[in-house]
Amino acid sequence: MVNRGNRGNQGNRRGLGPQGMCVCPECGEEIPHERGVPCYERACPQCGAKMIRK
């Protein structure tokens, strides 16, 4: 068996990139994703629920 190092995605904890939208799972409100701010750290401007990445 040849040890090829860690060339797969294992340990690669990258996000989904700067594009995309944050969506509210409660009311469906969508807002643009802000680079460096995970959607789950943002509150929905309509109902206050935590957002998720779309």
Side-chain angles (χ1 to χ4, degrees):
M1 184 171 189
V2 177
N3 184 0
R4 297 177 190 240
N6 205 5
R7 293 187 182 180
N9 269 345
Q10 299 152 347
N12 189 1
R13 304 296 256 162
R14 289 180 151 176
L16 296 174
Q19 297 84 14
M21 300 293 285
C22 297
V23 64
C24 176
E26 299 295 323
C27 70
E29 178 73 13
E30 292 186 12
I31 57 174
H33 175 259
E34 281 185 41
R35 184 176 181 180
V37 182
C39 290
Y40 62 82
E41 289 184 356
R42 300 189 64 187
C44 174
Q46 297 293 322
C47 69
K50 291 196 184 258
M51 307 291 279
I52 57 173
R53 187 72 181 262
K54 180 177 179 183

